PDB file of all heavy atoms in Angstrom:
ATOM      1  N   LEU A 414     -17.305  12.541 -35.236  1.00 97.00           N
ATOM      2  CA  LEU A 414     -17.525  13.685 -34.355  1.00 97.00           C
ATOM      3  C   LEU A 414     -18.174  13.123 -33.099  1.00 97.00           C
ATOM      4  O   LEU A 414     -19.291  12.604 -33.163  1.00 97.00           O
ATOM      5  CB  LEU A 414     -18.471  14.699 -35.008  1.00 97.00           C
ATOM      6  CG  LEU A 414     -18.250  15.044 -36.477  1.00 97.00           C
ATOM      7  CD1 LEU A 414     -19.328  16.027 -36.964  1.00 97.00           C
ATOM      8  CD2 LEU A 414     -16.859  15.651 -36.671  1.00 97.00           C
ATOM      9  N   VAL A 415     -17.474  13.170 -31.991  1.00 97.00           N
ATOM     10  CA  VAL A 415     -18.055  12.664 -30.753  1.00 97.00           C
ATOM     11  C   VAL A 415     -18.741  13.842 -30.061  1.00 97.00           C
ATOM     12  O   VAL A 415     -18.135  14.905 -29.878  1.00 97.00           O
ATOM     13  CB  VAL A 415     -16.989  12.034 -29.838  1.00 97.00           C
ATOM     14  CG1 VAL A 415     -17.598  11.575 -28.525  1.00 97.00           C
ATOM     15  CG2 VAL A 415     -16.314  10.856 -30.547  1.00 97.00           C
ATOM     16  N   ALA A 416     -20.018  13.645 -29.711  1.00 97.00           N
ATOM     17  CA  ALA A 416     -20.776  14.708 -29.057  1.00 97.00           C
ATOM     18  C   ALA A 416     -20.583  14.592 -27.553  1.00 97.00           C
ATOM     19  O   ALA A 416     -20.932  13.580 -26.957  1.00 97.00           O
ATOM     20  CB  ALA A 416     -22.255  14.575 -29.406  1.00 97.00           C
ATOM     21  N   ASP A 417     -19.982  15.616 -26.960  1.00 95.00           N
ATOM     22  CA  ASP A 417     -19.740  15.598 -25.511  1.00 95.00           C
ATOM     23  C   ASP A 417     -21.080  15.453 -24.792  1.00 95.00           C
ATOM     24  O   ASP A 417     -22.123  15.874 -25.303  1.00 95.00           O
ATOM     25  CB  ASP A 417     -19.050  16.907 -25.097  1.00 95.00           C
ATOM     26  CG  ASP A 417     -18.216  16.710 -23.843  1.00 95.00           C
ATOM     27  OD1 ASP A 417     -18.299  15.619 -23.242  1.00 95.00           O
ATOM     28  OD2 ASP A 417     -17.479  17.650 -23.470  1.00 95.00           O
ATOM     29  N   ASP A 418     -21.049  14.826 -23.606  1.00 92.00           N
ATOM     30  CA  ASP A 418     -22.316  14.668 -22.894  1.00 92.00           C
ATOM     31  C   ASP A 418     -22.332  15.518 -21.636  1.00 92.00           C
ATOM     32  O   ASP A 418     -23.162  15.342 -20.766  1.00 92.00           O
ATOM     33  CB  ASP A 418     -22.569  13.196 -22.572  1.00 92.00           C
ATOM     34  CG  ASP A 418     -21.473  12.610 -21.705  1.00 92.00           C
ATOM     35  OD1 ASP A 418     -20.474  13.326 -21.443  1.00 92.00           O
ATOM     36  OD2 ASP A 418     -21.590  11.452 -21.300  1.00 92.00           O
ATOM     37  N   ARG A 419     -21.374  16.407 -21.504  1.00 88.00           N
ATOM     38  CA  ARG A 419     -21.368  17.232 -20.303  1.00 88.00           C
ATOM     39  C   ARG A 419     -20.942  18.649 -20.670  1.00 88.00           C
ATOM     40  O   ARG A 419     -20.282  18.855 -21.703  1.00 88.00           O
ATOM     41  CB  ARG A 419     -20.463  16.633 -19.229  1.00 88.00           C
ATOM     42  CG  ARG A 419     -19.089  16.286 -19.697  1.00 88.00           C
ATOM     43  CD  ARG A 419     -18.443  15.238 -18.810  1.00 88.00           C
ATOM     44  NE  ARG A 419     -18.830  13.886 -19.246  1.00 88.00           N
ATOM     45  CZ  ARG A 419     -18.296  12.770 -18.761  1.00 88.00           C
ATOM     46  NH1 ARG A 419     -17.386  12.805 -17.809  1.00 88.00           N
ATOM     47  NH2 ARG A 419     -18.668  11.600 -19.203  1.00 88.00           N
ATOM     48  N   THR A 420     -21.345  19.587 -19.850  1.00 85.00           N
ATOM     49  CA  THR A 420     -20.954  20.964 -20.099  1.00 85.00           C
ATOM     50  C   THR A 420     -19.553  21.170 -19.548  1.00 85.00           C
ATOM     51  O   THR A 420     -19.010  20.304 -18.864  1.00 85.00           O
ATOM     52  CB  THR A 420     -21.927  21.930 -19.409  1.00 85.00           C
ATOM     53  OG1 THR A 420     -22.017  21.543 -18.040  1.00 85.00           O
ATOM     54  CG2 THR A 420     -23.290  21.872 -20.057  1.00 85.00           C
ATOM     55  N   GLY A 421     -18.962  22.280 -19.845  1.00 86.00           N
ATOM     56  CA  GLY A 421     -17.584  22.514 -19.423  1.00 86.00           C
ATOM     57  C   GLY A 421     -16.671  22.369 -20.616  1.00 86.00           C
ATOM     58  O   GLY A 421     -17.106  21.985 -21.691  1.00 86.00           O
ATOM     59  N   PRO A 422     -15.405  22.678 -20.393  1.00 91.00           N
ATOM     60  CA  PRO A 422     -14.483  22.701 -21.526  1.00 91.00           C
ATOM     61  C   PRO A 422     -14.293  21.313 -22.147  1.00 91.00           C
ATOM     62  O   PRO A 422     -14.474  20.295 -21.469  1.00 91.00           O
ATOM     63  CB  PRO A 422     -13.185  23.232 -20.922  1.00 91.00           C
ATOM     64  CG  PRO A 422     -13.337  23.168 -19.453  1.00 91.00           C
ATOM     65  CD  PRO A 422     -14.777  23.030 -19.117  1.00 91.00           C
ATOM     66  N   LEU A 423     -13.945  21.315 -23.393  1.00 93.00           N
ATOM     67  CA  LEU A 423     -13.690  20.050 -24.085  1.00 93.00           C
ATOM     68  C   LEU A 423     -12.427  19.391 -23.544  1.00 93.00           C
ATOM     69  O   LEU A 423     -11.522  20.078 -23.049  1.00 93.00           O
ATOM     70  CB  LEU A 423     -13.538  20.313 -25.584  1.00 93.00           C
ATOM     71  CG  LEU A 423     -14.780  20.857 -26.292  1.00 93.00           C
ATOM     72  CD1 LEU A 423     -14.447  21.229 -27.731  1.00 93.00           C
ATOM     73  CD2 LEU A 423     -15.918  19.845 -26.242  1.00 93.00           C
ATOM     74  N   ILE A 424     -12.368  18.073 -23.654  1.00 92.00           N
ATOM     75  CA  ILE A 424     -11.178  17.352 -23.210  1.00 92.00           C
ATOM     76  C   ILE A 424     -10.492  16.731 -24.420  1.00 92.00           C
ATOM     77  O   ILE A 424     -11.030  16.718 -25.516  1.00 92.00           O
ATOM     78  CB  ILE A 424     -11.548  16.224 -22.219  1.00 92.00           C
ATOM     79  CG1 ILE A 424     -12.466  15.223 -22.924  1.00 92.00           C
ATOM     80  CG2 ILE A 424     -12.200  16.790 -20.977  1.00 92.00           C
ATOM     81  CD1 ILE A 424     -12.435  13.854 -22.293  1.00 92.00           C
ATOM     82  N   THR A 425      -9.291  16.219 -24.168  1.00 91.00           N
ATOM     83  CA  THR A 425      -8.616  15.457 -25.223  1.00 91.00           C
ATOM     84  C   THR A 425      -9.034  13.998 -25.086  1.00 91.00           C
ATOM     85  O   THR A 425      -8.824  13.392 -24.033  1.00 91.00           O
ATOM     86  CB  THR A 425      -7.089  15.576 -25.077  1.00 91.00           C
ATOM     87  OG1 THR A 425      -6.722  16.930 -25.308  1.00 91.00           O
ATOM     88  CG2 THR A 425      -6.376  14.675 -26.063  1.00 91.00           C
ATOM     89  N   MET A 426      -9.621  13.460 -26.121  1.00 93.00           N
ATOM     90  CA  MET A 426      -9.976  12.039 -26.086  1.00 93.00           C
ATOM     91  C   MET A 426      -8.684  11.251 -26.220  1.00 93.00           C
ATOM     92  O   MET A 426      -7.945  11.434 -27.189  1.00 93.00           O
ATOM     93  CB  MET A 426     -10.902  11.702 -27.258  1.00 93.00           C
ATOM     94  CG  MET A 426     -12.217  12.451 -27.233  1.00 93.00           C
ATOM     95  SD  MET A 426     -13.311  11.897 -28.551  1.00 93.00           S
ATOM     96  CE  MET A 426     -12.502  12.560 -30.002  1.00 93.00           C
ATOM     97  N   ASP A 427      -8.397  10.380 -25.242  1.00 89.00           N
ATOM     98  CA  ASP A 427      -7.127   9.649 -25.278  1.00 89.00           C
ATOM     99  C   ASP A 427      -7.382   8.179 -25.547  1.00 89.00           C
ATOM    100  O   ASP A 427      -8.515   7.701 -25.473  1.00 89.00           O
ATOM    101  CB  ASP A 427      -6.366   9.839 -23.968  1.00 89.00           C
ATOM    102  CG  ASP A 427      -4.872   9.642 -24.160  1.00 89.00           C
ATOM    103  OD1 ASP A 427      -4.447   9.315 -25.290  1.00 89.00           O
ATOM    104  OD2 ASP A 427      -4.127   9.825 -23.179  1.00 89.00           O
ATOM    105  N   MET A 428      -6.311   7.488 -25.830  1.00 85.00           N
ATOM    106  CA  MET A 428      -6.465   6.043 -26.047  1.00 85.00           C
ATOM    107  C   MET A 428      -6.383   5.339 -24.706  1.00 85.00           C
ATOM    108  O   MET A 428      -5.678   5.766 -23.807  1.00 85.00           O
ATOM    109  CB  MET A 428      -5.403   5.540 -26.994  1.00 85.00           C
ATOM    110  CG  MET A 428      -4.006   5.947 -26.618  1.00 85.00           C
ATOM    111  SD  MET A 428      -2.965   5.654 -28.033  1.00 85.00           S
ATOM    112  CE  MET A 428      -1.711   6.858 -27.804  1.00 85.00           C
ATOM    113  N   PRO A 429      -7.100   4.238 -24.569  1.00 86.00           N
ATOM    114  CA  PRO A 429      -7.091   3.517 -23.300  1.00 86.00           C
ATOM    115  C   PRO A 429      -5.876   2.610 -23.209  1.00 86.00           C
ATOM    116  O   PRO A 429      -5.266   2.283 -24.236  1.00 86.00           O
ATOM    117  CB  PRO A 429      -8.360   2.674 -23.382  1.00 86.00           C
ATOM    118  CG  PRO A 429      -8.542   2.412 -24.828  1.00 86.00           C
ATOM    119  CD  PRO A 429      -8.003   3.616 -25.554  1.00 86.00           C
ATOM    120  N   ASP A 430      -5.528   2.230 -22.012  1.00 80.00           N
ATOM    121  CA  ASP A 430      -4.449   1.282 -21.797  1.00 80.00           C
ATOM    122  C   ASP A 430      -5.097  -0.091 -21.635  1.00 80.00           C
ATOM    123  O   ASP A 430      -5.296  -0.570 -20.532  1.00 80.00           O
ATOM    124  CB  ASP A 430      -3.687   1.684 -20.524  1.00 80.00           C
ATOM    125  CG  ASP A 430      -2.283   1.124 -20.550  1.00 80.00           C
ATOM    126  OD1 ASP A 430      -1.947   0.427 -21.527  1.00 80.00           O
ATOM    127  OD2 ASP A 430      -1.547   1.377 -19.597  1.00 80.00           O
TER     128      ASP A 430
END
Side-chain angles (χ1 to χ4, degrees):
L414 316 178
V415 177
D417 207 352
D418 60 355
R419 51 202 86 172
T420 52
L423 296 173
I424 61 157
T425 294
M426 298 185 289
D427 205 358
M428 51 195 152
D430 203 359

